[in-house]
Amino acid sequence: MGEVRVAVLGVGAMGADHVARLATRTAGARVVVVSDLVTERAEHVAASVPGCRVVADPLDAIADPEVDAVLLATPGAAHEKQLVACLELRRPVLCEKPLTTDVASALDVVTREVALGSRLIQVGFMRRFDDEYVALESLLDSGDLGRPLLLHCVHRNATAAPGFDAAMILRDSLVHEIDVTRFLFGEEIAAVQIITPTPNPGAPIGVRDPLIALLRTESGRHVDVELFVTTGVGYEVRTEVVGERGSAMIGLDVGLVRRSTTGRWGGQIPAGFRERFARAYDTQLQRWVDAVRSGAGTDDQVDGPCAWDGYAAAAVCAAAVESLETGERVAVRLADRGMLSGAGG
Ligand code: ISE
């Protein structure tokens, strides 16, 4: 395959970022079609890319004869239908999380992909492409820390979008730590409990923020996550693994440390996830495009988290939302992966 001709569906902030990334920083790809519910937004983004057209209906965009692959940055509720269309037409697709908005439809998508016998769906858990997470995973693989035993995560946002409630903190923010846990520990999460401490007075009325999530993996490892999305400070994501022979931490933001004439020293806190993970998003897209090109005509056009990873994360999120309501530890209900032989991975 020469250049991969991509349709980007959903060109809000994230989708528009991906269009710019594909157009200016990704080798071997070209954005040929964009689609968005808001026509003016689609037209504005299309105008920034030579040769790019607007196709109003997302399903028409997927089926467009000029399109080789699809990037989904539409709202989660639209994903199921769009993913099914991609599978039916055998279009490789990079899908921003969530895979779908509920566990049953996520499993249905996984099952359909398995039935095709091809790996076409990649899920946008971009942290797996971040240099620091990759370094942490390599350290664990090297065995230098011995067996990893504990994972401590901090996930803080300065502000949350209007309407963001506690369940969304779990589905939108915790979901990344769920994927990080599965990525670093290489096993599924078996149970989850959500603890609701005294809320931040600065959080919108009725929104329980911060939250603490306690995860337990299948082999019994413990993971704790602080989720705090109205800190007013900046984007802070820290991850510490404690092993048999030491510990390791990432996310300390120790890039440039400046000493100034005011007698202060310090660095910069990224404003948000798009700044913090900018390079990871670039790497993710380049690797996806490379996988689509080199995998053309084969059964594997994915290089990164797959449909199963999206489904497994959705199953843990569902258990977390249940625990938010009851306060109890909730077991994660996962399908038997062995029965779905070939399901990603
Ligand atoms: C957002 O959707 C993300 O994906 C960010 O990584 C996360 O930090 C934020 O809390 C979510 O709302």
Side-chain angles (χ1 to χ4, degrees), residues 239-299:
T239 308
E240 182 181 27
V241 177
V242 184
E244 280 176 293
R245 290 194 294 277
S247 62
M249 188 186 259
I250 59 171
L252 294 172
D253 302 321
V254 281
L256 180 90
V257 177
R258 177 179 167 185
R259 306 175 78 85
S260 75
T261 52
T262 58
R264 292 176 176 272
W265 68 273
Q268 200 85 29
I269 303 172
F273 58 92
R274 282 158 61 204
E275 292 82 358
R276 163 66 182 87
F277 289 112
R279 266 168 55 84
Y281 282 118
D282 286 356
T283 308
Q284 167 185 255
L285 260 193
Q286 187 62 65
R287 296 250 306 259
W288 175 64
V289 165
D290 292 348
V292 171
R293 286 178 89 189
S294 63
T298 75
D299 287 338

Side-chain angles (χ1 to χ4, degrees), residues 79-97:
H79 288 182
E80 182 186 2
K81 220 169 155 186
Q82 295 168 356
L83 286 168
V84 169
C86 288
L87 290 178
E88 279 169 358
L89 292 163
R90 291 189 170 265
R91 298 267 194 262
V93 51
L94 175 60
C95 175
E96 275 295 340
K97 56 94 180 152

Side-chain angles (χ1 to χ4, degrees), residues 9-10 36-37 41 72-80 82 97-99 101:
L9 310 192
D36 198 284
L37 262 181
R41 192 155 68 187
L72 286 192
T74 43
H79 288 182
E80 182 186 2
Q82 295 168 356
K97 56 94 180 152
L99 183 65
T101 45

Side-chain angles (χ1 to χ4, degrees), residues 127-154 176-177 179-186 223 237-243 245-252 276-277:
R127 290 194 191 176
R128 294 189 186 211
F129 299 91
D130 174 72
D131 293 343
E132 292 189 44
Y133 283 96
V134 170
L136 190 54
E137 200 229 1
S138 306
L139 175 64
L140 293 179
D141 272 359
S142 75
D144 282 3
L145 286 185
R147 267 177 304 179
L149 303 171
L150 306 168
L151 186 62
H152 304 298
C153 306
V154 168
H176 286 292
E177 312 304 333
D179 188 62
V180 160
T181 299
R182 297 181 62 258
F183 174 58
L184 293 177
F185 283 174
V223 181
V237 164
R238 287 194 280 279
T239 308
E240 182 181 27
V241 177
V242 184
R245 290 194 294 277
S247 62
M249 188 186 259
I250 59 171
L252 294 172
R276 163 66 182 87
F277 289 112

Side-chain angles (χ1 to χ4, degrees), residues 97 126-127 155 157 164 172-173 176 229 235 273 281:
K97 56 94 180 152
M126 75 299 185
R127 290 194 191 176
H155 188 137
N157 294 184
F164 213 78
D172 253 48
S173 311
H176 286 292
V229 302
Y235 194 66
F273 58 92
Y281 282 118

